[in-house]
Amino acid sequence: MTSGYDVLYIGGYTPGTGGSGAGLTVVRREESGILKALAESAAPGPSFLALHPRLPVLYAVLECEEGGVAAYSADPYGPGLLADGTSGGSYPCHLAVDPTGTWLAVTNYGDGTLAMYRLGSSGLFDGRPRLFPHRGHGPDPARQAEPHAHQAVFGPGRALHVTDLGTDEIRRYLLGTEPDLHPEGPVRLAPGSGPRHMAHREGRWYVAGELDGMIAVYDAEWRELGRTPASAAMGPNQVSHIEPSADGRHLYVANRGPDTIAVFEVDGEQESQSVGTGLSRVAEVGSGGLWPRHFAVAGDHMYVANQRSDAVATLLMRDGVPEPTGETFKVGSPSCVLAVAV
């Protein structure tokens, strides 16, 4: 075992936002393996969470039409509200803190607006956010009639990258004294792909397409190297979260519809490798529930937020591959889980 226990911060949808959750839930995995609830804090639709890189501050989007964002004390025995504010748009679905703890980026799915908050020395919001609205659409009239900013990723360098599911773009910004538009503009991806989440590792970008069920791989200059299905299962697949392993050997992908976690070996040499991607699918396992919205890895466990099962499932990591254990923690409409090995 790599840790005595793991602390999980779980966010999700509450009755006022289309779900059944209580708000923020904190869980501890004991050394014995038992999942124990530590605290609940009321919050309206905290559908995505992020931790400050140095300070005990937990951030949450409040996913409603008049979007909000809140900062809480990262106290496992009871997160307390420290500050709140506007998300700058409607239905915020993601937020991220830059590695220096200076900026908080909030993506609003509803109208596509990116909001950038400067953070003070205490980790709280320093004034009102700077807003970056967007225009455009994609070929899918039902899902791409307008911009839908979905995820913000800081780096490399001074850049901020934002997936836009509605316009099939990676929007780019530069961080200086104030954030500004990138002079080269957005990266245009395959029409109808619907980029949702992405990850960067060693000069490559991995982008999950929610609408086409594909993983697209790009080099550091955003030249497409190849594409591969995120799941080997037949039928519709709305890919959700994508994340590399800590050592960079594997790439994990959550598939909604098949309800699986797919595992790809990076730069693998198997015959199953998709041309140009450097990815070989080495496993695809059940997510432990229905509609895996998000997952997190801590030590030798993966925790999967299965939104439609009202539970977070525990998977055991063996040689980089998660294995279902049958262990779950019941929590209403989970959509995000942060795991910290202690």
Short mmCIF file of all heavy atoms in Angstrom, two decimals, residues 96-97 102 128:
data_model
loop_
_atom_site.label_atom_id
_atom_site.label_comp_id
_atom_site.label_asym_id
_atom_site.label_seq_id
_atom_site.Cartn_x
_atom_site.Cartn_y
_atom_site.Cartn_z
N ALA A 96 -10.22 25.49 -12.84
CA ALA A 96 -8.86 25.02 -12.63
C ALA A 96 -8.02 26.16 -12.08
O ALA A 96 -8.25 27.33 -12.41
CB ALA A 96 -8.26 24.51 -13.94
N VAL A 97 -7.03 25.82 -11.26
CA VAL A 97 -6.11 26.79 -10.68
C VAL A 97 -4.74 26.60 -11.35
O VAL A 97 -4.29 25.46 -11.53
CB VAL A 97 -5.95 26.60 -9.16
CG1 VAL A 97 -5.17 27.75 -8.55
CG2 VAL A 97 -7.31 26.46 -8.50
N THR A 102 -2.07 31.70 -8.85
CA THR A 102 -2.38 33.11 -9.15
C THR A 102 -3.72 33.28 -9.83
O THR A 102 -4.41 34.28 -9.61
CB THR A 102 -1.28 33.71 -10.05
OG1 THR A 102 -0.02 33.56 -9.39
CG2 THR A 102 -1.53 35.18 -10.32
N ARG A 128 -13.39 41.24 -9.26
CA ARG A 128 -14.30 40.55 -10.16
C ARG A 128 -13.50 39.88 -11.29
O ARG A 128 -12.37 40.28 -11.58
CB ARG A 128 -15.33 41.52 -10.75
CG ARG A 128 -16.27 42.08 -9.68
CD ARG A 128 -17.36 42.93 -10.31
NE ARG A 128 -18.19 42.17 -11.23
CZ ARG A 128 -19.18 41.37 -10.88
NH1 ARG A 128 -19.46 41.19 -9.60
NH2 ARG A 128 -19.90 40.74 -11.78
#
